[in-house]
Amino acid sequence: MALRVFTLLLPATALLVGAFLILAPVSQWSAAQQETLTFVPYFLAGITGFLGYSFKRSRILLVAINLGAAYFLIQNNLQSSLARPDNYVLYSIISLLLPINIALIALFDERGVFTPIGITRIVFVSLGYLIAYLLMLSGQLGYWLTGLPMSMIEMAVYDTYLSEAAAIVFIICLIPVILSLLLRKTHTDAGLLASLIAALAMLVWFDRPLISPLFVSAALIALAISVVQNSYSMAFIDELTAIPGRRALNDKLSTLGRRYTIAMLDIDHFKKFNDTYGHDTGDQVLRMVAAKINNIGGAGKAFRYGGEEFAVVFSGKNEREALTYLEEVREIVANYPMAIRSEERPDDRDTGRQLRSGQKGREHVQVTISIGVSEKDETHNNPEAVMKTADQALYAAKKAGRNCSVASHQPRPVKKPAKPRRSKIDFVKA
């Protein structure tokens, strides 16, 4: 899980670090370059919002509105000293609206953009900024300064403008954003966390030249990238097993070089397994097998081909080399204690935990896979022909008794003696 979260955060982290590194030299840019930079967030907010709308990512659209509205107020009303009462009150409002909105958006589910719920959320995110803008135009914000609590006047960090109240709000809002990332593990949630960190950095170092266009731009770029990454995952990653799917396999096949091997793998008796234990347990089996295949050695790339069938592509390896790694996976799957929960599950969580620890109320079944392997040669000189031959070898492995590997250039199936199993029963009957 930690690796998955790290991978999600990598692009956003790189963008935020880049914005911080540019912060110092940007003050030396020409006036024209600096002026151009101030318009970039508007363009990025429009692009990111459009992507959110086009790909039905309402949370992306809402964060784009949140950042864009805050930036508009900063750029048009906070370019003079915060010692002015109206400026400081507006800054204080923004320092609360930004994190609170991001935290609430992190808790939202995707419910469409221009649905009744979607429109309500857009109005909710925009309303606070609209009211602040109208009060600023009317010249009434300055009168609110004396009504602010001391926590919004006293600074959280010396020599910054961020108040104690705003710092506390940021810390509180960080909790749902992080939890959403850990639970959902989506690129959108990584973009939300990047937006919250960017907003905090912008407000802490608010007196730095061009701080707001740099960090707002970095956050919006991170959000736009997350839309592309989410779309890629939907198109190329199998939702059930979390490994690349058939479309990704076709893409991989189009980039293979002169030497490669393709293996086709199938879960033995999977239909009977589904009929006996139900589809939920069948899905559990698919996820387990996919996880084992995905960890195959030899730089093999695993894909879910469809149903209970998988494919593994070995670039730069022949059948003999690939078989070594495939046999390791076959044995790992065959010796994995697949536990089936009892239908009589206790309502009490502690009792259930005790039963699981004692392995009571469970039975263990044998899950095995059959493998067919083929390499590119003179007679099979394209990926489609190699895959077809591997599929024929898989059929031969099934006829040979299953739980074995058959290579297209090898007359006999490969099957090492199985290790003693801890299973209580064997699903596959010899």
Side-chain angles (χ1 to χ4, degrees), residues 305-336:
Y305 189 72
E308 68 272 23
E309 197 168 5
F310 299 86
V312 179
V313 178
F314 294 90
S315 299
K317 286 184 170 53
N318 58 31
E319 285 180 3
R320 181 181 56 81
E321 294 168 327
L323 272 172
T324 301
Y325 303 105
L326 291 165
E327 274 297 291
E328 289 178 359
V329 168
R330 185 190 61 76
E331 290 189 357
I332 289 172
V333 172
N335 288 283
Y336 185 81

PDB file of all heavy atoms in Angstrom, residues 305-336:
ATOM      1  N   TYR A 305      -5.961 -11.414 -19.272  1.00  0.00           N
ATOM      2  CA  TYR A 305      -6.406 -11.549 -20.651  1.00  0.00           C
ATOM      3  C   TYR A 305      -7.921 -11.556 -20.752  1.00  0.00           C
ATOM      4  O   TYR A 305      -8.502 -11.046 -21.694  1.00  0.00           O
ATOM      5  CB  TYR A 305      -5.828 -12.835 -21.248  1.00  0.00           C
ATOM      6  CG  TYR A 305      -6.052 -12.983 -22.724  1.00  0.00           C
ATOM      7  CD1 TYR A 305      -5.347 -12.200 -23.629  1.00  0.00           C
ATOM      8  CD2 TYR A 305      -6.976 -13.910 -23.212  1.00  0.00           C
ATOM      9  CE1 TYR A 305      -5.563 -12.337 -25.002  1.00  0.00           C
ATOM     10  CE2 TYR A 305      -7.193 -14.050 -24.567  1.00  0.00           C
ATOM     11  CZ  TYR A 305      -6.485 -13.255 -25.452  1.00  0.00           C
ATOM     12  OH  TYR A 305      -6.701 -13.375 -26.805  1.00  0.00           O
ATOM     13  N   GLY A 306      -8.578 -12.115 -19.741  1.00  0.00           N
ATOM     14  CA  GLY A 306     -10.034 -12.183 -19.746  1.00  0.00           C
ATOM     15  C   GLY A 306     -10.508 -13.359 -18.917  1.00  0.00           C
ATOM     16  O   GLY A 306      -9.893 -14.429 -18.950  1.00  0.00           O
ATOM     17  N   GLY A 307     -11.591 -13.181 -18.164  1.00  0.00           N
ATOM     18  CA  GLY A 307     -12.098 -14.259 -17.340  1.00  0.00           C
ATOM     19  C   GLY A 307     -11.052 -14.725 -16.343  1.00  0.00           C
ATOM     20  O   GLY A 307     -10.496 -13.939 -15.584  1.00  0.00           O
ATOM     21  N   GLU A 308     -10.768 -16.050 -16.366  1.00  0.00           N
ATOM     22  CA  GLU A 308      -9.754 -16.607 -15.466  1.00  0.00           C
ATOM     23  C   GLU A 308      -8.414 -16.813 -16.163  1.00  0.00           C
ATOM     24  O   GLU A 308      -7.545 -17.527 -15.664  1.00  0.00           O
ATOM     25  CB  GLU A 308     -10.240 -17.941 -14.885  1.00  0.00           C
ATOM     26  CG  GLU A 308     -10.342 -19.073 -15.877  1.00  0.00           C
ATOM     27  CD  GLU A 308     -11.675 -19.157 -16.592  1.00  0.00           C
ATOM     28  OE1 GLU A 308     -12.375 -18.119 -16.665  1.00  0.00           O
ATOM     29  OE2 GLU A 308     -12.021 -20.243 -17.088  1.00  0.00           O
ATOM     30  N   GLU A 309      -8.227 -16.172 -17.313  1.00  0.00           N
ATOM     31  CA  GLU A 309      -7.012 -16.360 -18.107  1.00  0.00           C
ATOM     32  C   GLU A 309      -6.109 -15.130 -18.014  1.00  0.00           C
ATOM     33  O   GLU A 309      -6.577 -13.989 -18.053  1.00  0.00           O
ATOM     34  CB  GLU A 309      -7.383 -16.628 -19.571  1.00  0.00           C
ATOM     35  CG  GLU A 309      -6.244 -17.227 -20.380  1.00  0.00           C
ATOM     36  CD  GLU A 309      -6.708 -17.749 -21.732  1.00  0.00           C
ATOM     37  OE1 GLU A 309      -7.893 -17.553 -22.063  1.00  0.00           O
ATOM     38  OE2 GLU A 309      -5.892 -18.348 -22.448  1.00  0.00           O
ATOM     39  N   PHE A 310      -4.820 -15.386 -17.893  1.00  0.00           N
ATOM     40  CA  PHE A 310      -3.818 -14.332 -17.781  1.00  0.00           C
ATOM     41  C   PHE A 310      -2.744 -14.543 -18.837  1.00  0.00           C
ATOM     42  O   PHE A 310      -2.597 -15.631 -19.397  1.00  0.00           O
ATOM     43  CB  PHE A 310      -3.171 -14.348 -16.383  1.00  0.00           C
ATOM     44  CG  PHE A 310      -4.147 -14.107 -15.268  1.00  0.00           C
ATOM     45  CD1 PHE A 310      -4.874 -15.155 -14.718  1.00  0.00           C
ATOM     46  CD2 PHE A 310      -4.329 -12.832 -14.756  1.00  0.00           C
ATOM     47  CE1 PHE A 310      -5.781 -14.946 -13.685  1.00  0.00           C
ATOM     48  CE2 PHE A 310      -5.233 -12.602 -13.724  1.00  0.00           C
ATOM     49  CZ  PHE A 310      -5.955 -13.663 -13.190  1.00  0.00           C
ATOM     50  N   ALA A 311      -1.978 -13.494 -19.092  1.00  0.00           N
ATOM     51  CA  ALA A 311      -0.844 -13.575 -20.018  1.00  0.00           C
ATOM     52  C   ALA A 311       0.371 -12.936 -19.361  1.00  0.00           C
ATOM     53  O   ALA A 311       0.246 -11.988 -18.593  1.00  0.00           O
ATOM     54  CB  ALA A 311      -1.167 -12.870 -21.336  1.00  0.00           C
ATOM     55  N   VAL A 312       1.543 -13.483 -19.668  1.00  0.00           N
ATOM     56  CA  VAL A 312       2.804 -12.915 -19.197  1.00  0.00           C
ATOM     57  C   VAL A 312       3.727 -12.781 -20.396  1.00  0.00           C
ATOM     58  O   VAL A 312       3.906 -13.743 -21.161  1.00  0.00           O
ATOM     59  CB  VAL A 312       3.465 -13.785 -18.114  1.00  0.00           C
ATOM     60  CG1 VAL A 312       4.784 -13.155 -17.667  1.00  0.00           C
ATOM     61  CG2 VAL A 312       2.538 -13.957 -16.919  1.00  0.00           C
ATOM     62  N   VAL A 313       4.305 -11.609 -20.558  1.00  0.00           N
ATOM     63  CA  VAL A 313       5.206 -11.334 -21.677  1.00  0.00           C
ATOM     64  C   VAL A 313       6.621 -11.171 -21.144  1.00  0.00           C
ATOM     65  O   VAL A 313       6.868 -10.372 -20.233  1.00  0.00           O
ATOM     66  CB  VAL A 313       4.770 -10.064 -22.440  1.00  0.00           C
ATOM     67  CG1 VAL A 313       5.746  -9.773 -23.576  1.00  0.00           C
ATOM     68  CG2 VAL A 313       3.350 -10.230 -22.973  1.00  0.00           C
ATOM     69  N   PHE A 314       7.549 -11.935 -21.718  1.00  0.00           N
ATOM     70  CA  PHE A 314       8.964 -11.840 -21.363  1.00  0.00           C
ATOM     71  C   PHE A 314       9.727 -11.258 -22.552  1.00  0.00           C
ATOM     72  O   PHE A 314       9.880 -11.930 -23.577  1.00  0.00           O
ATOM     73  CB  PHE A 314       9.539 -13.215 -21.016  1.00  0.00           C
ATOM     74  CG  PHE A 314       8.961 -13.835 -19.783  1.00  0.00           C
ATOM     75  CD1 PHE A 314       7.832 -14.650 -19.861  1.00  0.00           C
ATOM     76  CD2 PHE A 314       9.542 -13.629 -18.549  1.00  0.00           C
ATOM     77  CE1 PHE A 314       7.304 -15.227 -18.724  1.00  0.00           C
ATOM     78  CE2 PHE A 314       9.012 -14.206 -17.397  1.00  0.00           C
ATOM     79  CZ  PHE A 314       7.894 -15.007 -17.489  1.00  0.00           C
ATOM     80  N   SER A 315      10.181 -10.046 -22.441  1.00  0.00           N
ATOM     81  CA  SER A 315      10.979  -9.449 -23.503  1.00  0.00           C
ATOM     82  C   SER A 315      12.425  -9.908 -23.368  1.00  0.00           C
ATOM     83  O   SER A 315      12.992  -9.900 -22.271  1.00  0.00           O
ATOM     84  CB  SER A 315      10.920  -7.918 -23.424  1.00  0.00           C
ATOM     85  OG  SER A 315       9.593  -7.460 -23.589  1.00  0.00           O
ATOM     86  N   GLY A 316      13.037 -10.332 -24.505  1.00  0.00           N
ATOM     87  CA  GLY A 316      14.445 -10.713 -24.510  1.00  0.00           C
ATOM     88  C   GLY A 316      14.727 -12.078 -23.929  1.00  0.00           C
ATOM     89  O   GLY A 316      15.883 -12.385 -23.615  1.00  0.00           O
ATOM     90  N   LYS A 317      13.706 -12.932 -23.740  1.00  0.00           N
ATOM     91  CA  LYS A 317      13.922 -14.255 -23.159  1.00  0.00           C
ATOM     92  C   LYS A 317      13.295 -15.328 -24.041  1.00  0.00           C
ATOM     93  O   LYS A 317      12.288 -15.096 -24.713  1.00  0.00           O
ATOM     94  CB  LYS A 317      13.333 -14.329 -21.747  1.00  0.00           C
ATOM     95  CG  LYS A 317      14.164 -13.568 -20.722  1.00  0.00           C
ATOM     96  CD  LYS A 317      13.619 -13.741 -19.334  1.00  0.00           C
ATOM     97  CE  LYS A 317      14.588 -13.180 -18.295  1.00  0.00           C
ATOM     98  NZ  LYS A 317      14.990 -11.799 -18.562  1.00  0.00           N
ATOM     99  N   ASN A 318      13.916 -16.532 -23.994  1.00  0.00           N
ATOM    100  CA  ASN A 318      13.367 -17.662 -24.726  1.00  0.00           C
ATOM    101  C   ASN A 318      12.499 -18.509 -23.812  1.00  0.00           C
ATOM    102  O   ASN A 318      12.339 -18.193 -22.629  1.00  0.00           O
ATOM    103  CB  ASN A 318      14.498 -18.498 -25.359  1.00  0.00           C
ATOM    104  CG  ASN A 318      15.491 -19.003 -24.311  1.00  0.00           C
ATOM    105  OD1 ASN A 318      15.119 -19.247 -23.157  1.00  0.00           O
ATOM    106  ND2 ASN A 318      16.753 -19.159 -24.701  1.00  0.00           N
ATOM    107  N   GLU A 319      11.945 -19.601 -24.353  1.00  0.00           N
ATOM    108  CA  GLU A 319      11.039 -20.441 -23.576  1.00  0.00           C
ATOM    109  C   GLU A 319      11.712 -21.014 -22.333  1.00  0.00           C
ATOM    110  O   GLU A 319      11.138 -21.009 -21.243  1.00  0.00           O
ATOM    111  CB  GLU A 319      10.517 -21.585 -24.445  1.00  0.00           C
ATOM    112  CG  GLU A 319       9.476 -21.167 -25.460  1.00  0.00           C
ATOM    113  CD  GLU A 319       9.005 -22.356 -26.281  1.00  0.00           C
ATOM    114  OE1 GLU A 319       9.463 -23.496 -25.998  1.00  0.00           O
ATOM    115  OE2 GLU A 319       8.193 -22.161 -27.206  1.00  0.00           O
ATOM    116  N   ARG A 320      12.934 -21.527 -22.506  1.00  0.00           N
ATOM    117  CA  ARG A 320      13.620 -22.169 -21.381  1.00  0.00           C
ATOM    118  C   ARG A 320      13.834 -21.186 -20.239  1.00  0.00           C
ATOM    119  O   ARG A 320      13.610 -21.527 -19.068  1.00  0.00           O
ATOM    120  CB  ARG A 320      14.964 -22.732 -21.862  1.00  0.00           C
ATOM    121  CG  ARG A 320      15.760 -23.444 -20.772  1.00  0.00           C
ATOM    122  CD  ARG A 320      17.088 -23.953 -21.329  1.00  0.00           C
ATOM    123  NE  ARG A 320      17.853 -22.865 -21.918  1.00  0.00           N
ATOM    124  CZ  ARG A 320      18.593 -22.005 -21.197  1.00  0.00           C
ATOM    125  NH1 ARG A 320      18.633 -22.106 -19.875  1.00  0.00           N
ATOM    126  NH2 ARG A 320      19.267 -21.052 -21.806  1.00  0.00           N
ATOM    127  N   GLU A 321      14.232 -19.970 -20.561  1.00  0.00           N
ATOM    128  CA  GLU A 321      14.458 -18.972 -19.522  1.00  0.00           C
ATOM    129  C   GLU A 321      13.140 -18.574 -18.851  1.00  0.00           C
ATOM    130  O   GLU A 321      13.070 -18.424 -17.627  1.00  0.00           O
ATOM    131  CB  GLU A 321      15.137 -17.738 -20.125  1.00  0.00           C
ATOM    132  CG  GLU A 321      16.547 -18.007 -20.631  1.00  0.00           C
ATOM    133  CD  GLU A 321      17.097 -16.866 -21.474  1.00  0.00           C
ATOM    134  OE1 GLU A 321      16.290 -16.210 -22.181  1.00  0.00           O
ATOM    135  OE2 GLU A 321      18.317 -16.627 -21.443  1.00  0.00           O
ATOM    136  N   ALA A 322      12.102 -18.396 -19.649  1.00  0.00           N
ATOM    137  CA  ALA A 322      10.808 -17.988 -19.094  1.00  0.00           C
ATOM    138  C   ALA A 322      10.199 -19.080 -18.230  1.00  0.00           C
ATOM    139  O   ALA A 322       9.555 -18.797 -17.209  1.00  0.00           O
ATOM    140  CB  ALA A 322       9.855 -17.615 -20.220  1.00  0.00           C
ATOM    141  N   LEU A 323      10.400 -20.348 -18.603  1.00  0.00           N
ATOM    142  CA  LEU A 323       9.811 -21.457 -17.852  1.00  0.00           C
ATOM    143  C   LEU A 323      10.291 -21.496 -16.407  1.00  0.00           C
ATOM    144  O   LEU A 323       9.550 -21.893 -15.509  1.00  0.00           O
ATOM    145  CB  LEU A 323      10.140 -22.785 -18.537  1.00  0.00           C
ATOM    146  CG  LEU A 323       9.167 -23.242 -19.625  1.00  0.00           C
ATOM    147  CD1 LEU A 323       9.713 -24.462 -20.356  1.00  0.00           C
ATOM    148  CD2 LEU A 323       7.808 -23.569 -19.014  1.00  0.00           C
ATOM    149  N   THR A 324      11.525 -21.088 -16.172  1.00  0.00           N
ATOM    150  CA  THR A 324      12.056 -21.080 -14.806  1.00  0.00           C
ATOM    151  C   THR A 324      11.197 -20.208 -13.899  1.00  0.00           C
ATOM    152  O   THR A 324      10.815 -20.608 -12.795  1.00  0.00           O
ATOM    153  CB  THR A 324      13.505 -20.565 -14.802  1.00  0.00           C
ATOM    154  OG1 THR A 324      14.302 -21.400 -15.637  1.00  0.00           O
ATOM    155  CG2 THR A 324      14.073 -20.562 -13.383  1.00  0.00           C
ATOM    156  N   TYR A 325      10.867 -19.025 -14.376  1.00  0.00           N
ATOM    157  CA  TYR A 325      10.077 -18.082 -13.570  1.00  0.00           C
ATOM    158  C   TYR A 325       8.605 -18.490 -13.527  1.00  0.00           C
ATOM    159  O   TYR A 325       7.938 -18.311 -12.503  1.00  0.00           O
ATOM    160  CB  TYR A 325      10.228 -16.675 -14.130  1.00  0.00           C
ATOM    161  CG  TYR A 325      11.664 -16.221 -14.191  1.00  0.00           C
ATOM    162  CD1 TYR A 325      12.356 -16.170 -15.406  1.00  0.00           C
ATOM    163  CD2 TYR A 325      12.345 -15.861 -13.031  1.00  0.00           C
ATOM    164  CE1 TYR A 325      13.677 -15.774 -15.460  1.00  0.00           C
ATOM    165  CE2 TYR A 325      13.672 -15.458 -13.082  1.00  0.00           C
ATOM    166  CZ  TYR A 325      14.330 -15.419 -14.301  1.00  0.00           C
ATOM    167  OH  TYR A 325      15.644 -15.018 -14.339  1.00  0.00           O
ATOM    168  N   LEU A 326       8.105 -19.055 -14.621  1.00  0.00           N
ATOM    169  CA  LEU A 326       6.707 -19.479 -14.644  1.00  0.00           C
ATOM    170  C   LEU A 326       6.465 -20.658 -13.700  1.00  0.00           C
ATOM    171  O   LEU A 326       5.421 -20.727 -13.040  1.00  0.00           O
ATOM    172  CB  LEU A 326       6.315 -19.855 -16.075  1.00  0.00           C
ATOM    173  CG  LEU A 326       6.233 -18.688 -17.061  1.00  0.00           C
ATOM    174  CD1 LEU A 326       6.196 -19.205 -18.497  1.00  0.00           C
ATOM    175  CD2 LEU A 326       5.008 -17.823 -16.775  1.00  0.00           C
ATOM    176  N   GLU A 327       7.416 -21.567 -13.634  1.00  0.00           N
ATOM    177  CA  GLU A 327       7.282 -22.696 -12.725  1.00  0.00           C
ATOM    178  C   GLU A 327       7.299 -22.248 -11.266  1.00  0.00           C
ATOM    179  O   GLU A 327       6.599 -22.809 -10.420  1.00  0.00           O
ATOM    180  CB  GLU A 327       8.406 -23.708 -12.980  1.00  0.00           C
ATOM    181  CG  GLU A 327       8.094 -24.696 -14.075  1.00  0.00           C
ATOM    182  CD  GLU A 327       6.896 -25.560 -13.713  1.00  0.00           C
ATOM    183  OE1 GLU A 327       7.005 -26.382 -12.796  1.00  0.00           O
ATOM    184  OE2 GLU A 327       5.831 -25.400 -14.346  1.00  0.00           O
ATOM    185  N   GLU A 328       8.097 -21.234 -10.978  1.00  0.00           N
ATOM    186  CA  GLU A 328       8.114 -20.698  -9.617  1.00  0.00           C
ATOM    187  C   GLU A 328       6.736 -20.170  -9.232  1.00  0.00           C
ATOM    188  O   GLU A 328       6.234 -20.436  -8.128  1.00  0.00           O
ATOM    189  CB  GLU A 328       9.158 -19.587  -9.504  1.00  0.00           C
ATOM    190  CG  GLU A 328      10.601 -20.069  -9.563  1.00  0.00           C
ATOM    191  CD  GLU A 328      11.590 -18.912  -9.487  1.00  0.00           C
ATOM    192  OE1 GLU A 328      11.134 -17.740  -9.409  1.00  0.00           O
ATOM    193  OE2 GLU A 328      12.806 -19.167  -9.519  1.00  0.00           O
ATOM    194  N   VAL A 329       6.117 -19.433 -10.146  1.00  0.00           N
ATOM    195  CA  VAL A 329       4.784 -18.888  -9.881  1.00  0.00           C
ATOM    196  C   VAL A 329       3.761 -19.999  -9.759  1.00  0.00           C
ATOM    197  O   VAL A 329       2.887 -19.966  -8.873  1.00  0.00           O
ATOM    198  CB  VAL A 329       4.385 -17.884 -10.985  1.00  0.00           C
ATOM    199  CG1 VAL A 329       2.911 -17.539 -10.887  1.00  0.00           C
ATOM    200  CG2 VAL A 329       5.218 -16.622 -10.882  1.00  0.00           C
ATOM    201  N   ARG A 330       3.852 -20.992 -10.637  1.00  0.00           N
ATOM    202  CA  ARG A 330       2.879 -22.102 -10.581  1.00  0.00           C
ATOM    203  C   ARG A 330       2.941 -22.801  -9.224  1.00  0.00           C
ATOM    204  O   ARG A 330       1.911 -23.117  -8.620  1.00  0.00           O
ATOM    205  CB  ARG A 330       3.165 -23.109 -11.705  1.00  0.00           C
ATOM    206  CG  ARG A 330       2.131 -24.228 -11.780  1.00  0.00           C
ATOM    207  CD  ARG A 330       2.565 -25.327 -12.739  1.00  0.00           C
ATOM    208  NE  ARG A 330       3.808 -25.952 -12.321  1.00  0.00           N
ATOM    209  CZ  ARG A 330       3.911 -26.823 -11.323  1.00  0.00           C
ATOM    210  NH1 ARG A 330       2.839 -27.184 -10.638  1.00  0.00           N
ATOM    211  NH2 ARG A 330       5.076 -27.358 -11.016  1.00  0.00           N
ATOM    212  N   GLU A 331       4.148 -23.026  -8.714  1.00  0.00           N
ATOM    213  CA  GLU A 331       4.290 -23.697  -7.425  1.00  0.00           C
ATOM    214  C   GLU A 331       3.818 -22.811  -6.271  1.00  0.00           C
ATOM    215  O   GLU A 331       3.233 -23.295  -5.298  1.00  0.00           O
ATOM    216  CB  GLU A 331       5.746 -24.110  -7.208  1.00  0.00           C
ATOM    217  CG  GLU A 331       6.193 -25.246  -8.121  1.00  0.00           C
ATOM    218  CD  GLU A 331       7.556 -25.777  -7.736  1.00  0.00           C
ATOM    219  OE1 GLU A 331       8.161 -25.219  -6.797  1.00  0.00           O
ATOM    220  OE2 GLU A 331       8.019 -26.744  -8.367  1.00  0.00           O
ATOM    221  N   ILE A 332       4.088 -21.519  -6.386  1.00  0.00           N
ATOM    222  CA  ILE A 332       3.626 -20.593  -5.336  1.00  0.00           C
ATOM    223  C   ILE A 332       2.109 -20.607  -5.237  1.00  0.00           C
ATOM    224  O   ILE A 332       1.536 -20.674  -4.144  1.00  0.00           O
ATOM    225  CB  ILE A 332       4.144 -19.165  -5.621  1.00  0.00           C
ATOM    226  CG1 ILE A 332       5.647 -19.086  -5.379  1.00  0.00           C
ATOM    227  CG2 ILE A 332       3.412 -18.138  -4.748  1.00  0.00           C
ATOM    228  CD1 ILE A 332       6.277 -17.778  -5.819  1.00  0.00           C
ATOM    229  N   VAL A 333       1.434 -20.562  -6.390  1.00  0.00           N
ATOM    230  CA  VAL A 333      -0.035 -20.594  -6.390  1.00  0.00           C
ATOM    231  C   VAL A 333      -0.535 -21.927  -5.853  1.00  0.00           C
ATOM    232  O   VAL A 333      -1.459 -21.981  -5.027  1.00  0.00           O
ATOM    233  CB  VAL A 333      -0.573 -20.344  -7.815  1.00  0.00           C
ATOM    234  CG1 VAL A 333      -2.079 -20.572  -7.869  1.00  0.00           C
ATOM    235  CG2 VAL A 333      -0.240 -18.932  -8.272  1.00  0.00           C
ATOM    236  N   ALA A 334       0.071 -23.036  -6.297  1.00  0.00           N
ATOM    237  CA  ALA A 334      -0.391 -24.363  -5.881  1.00  0.00           C
ATOM    238  C   ALA A 334      -0.199 -24.597  -4.390  1.00  0.00           C
ATOM    239  O   ALA A 334      -0.945 -25.372  -3.774  1.00  0.00           O
ATOM    240  CB  ALA A 334       0.340 -25.447  -6.673  1.00  0.00           C
ATOM    241  N   ASN A 335       0.789 -23.958  -3.787  1.00  0.00           N
ATOM    242  CA  ASN A 335       1.072 -24.162  -2.372  1.00  0.00           C
ATOM    243  C   ASN A 335       0.548 -23.036  -1.489  1.00  0.00           C
ATOM    244  O   ASN A 335       0.860 -22.988  -0.299  1.00  0.00           O
ATOM    245  CB  ASN A 335       2.581 -24.304  -2.159  1.00  0.00           C
ATOM    246  CG  ASN A 335       3.112 -25.626  -2.677  1.00  0.00           C
ATOM    247  OD1 ASN A 335       2.950 -26.666  -2.064  1.00  0.00           O
ATOM    248  ND2 ASN A 335       3.747 -25.574  -3.850  1.00  0.00           N
ATOM    249  N   TYR A 336      -0.246 -22.159  -2.077  1.00  0.00           N
ATOM    250  CA  TYR A 336      -0.812 -21.076  -1.283  1.00  0.00           C
ATOM    251  C   TYR A 336      -2.067 -21.569  -0.566  1.00  0.00           C
ATOM    252  O   TYR A 336      -2.982 -22.095  -1.213  1.00  0.00           O
ATOM    253  CB  TYR A 336      -1.150 -19.885  -2.182  1.00  0.00           C
ATOM    254  CG  TYR A 336      -1.638 -18.672  -1.414  1.00  0.00           C
ATOM    255  CD1 TYR A 336      -0.736 -17.806  -0.807  1.00  0.00           C
ATOM    256  CD2 TYR A 336      -2.998 -18.413  -1.290  1.00  0.00           C
ATOM    257  CE1 TYR A 336      -1.176 -16.699  -0.104  1.00  0.00           C
ATOM    258  CE2 TYR A 336      -3.457 -17.302  -0.588  1.00  0.00           C
ATOM    259  CZ  TYR A 336      -2.535 -16.452  -0.001  1.00  0.00           C
ATOM    260  OH  TYR A 336      -2.974 -15.355   0.707  1.00  0.00           O
TER     261      TYR A 336
END
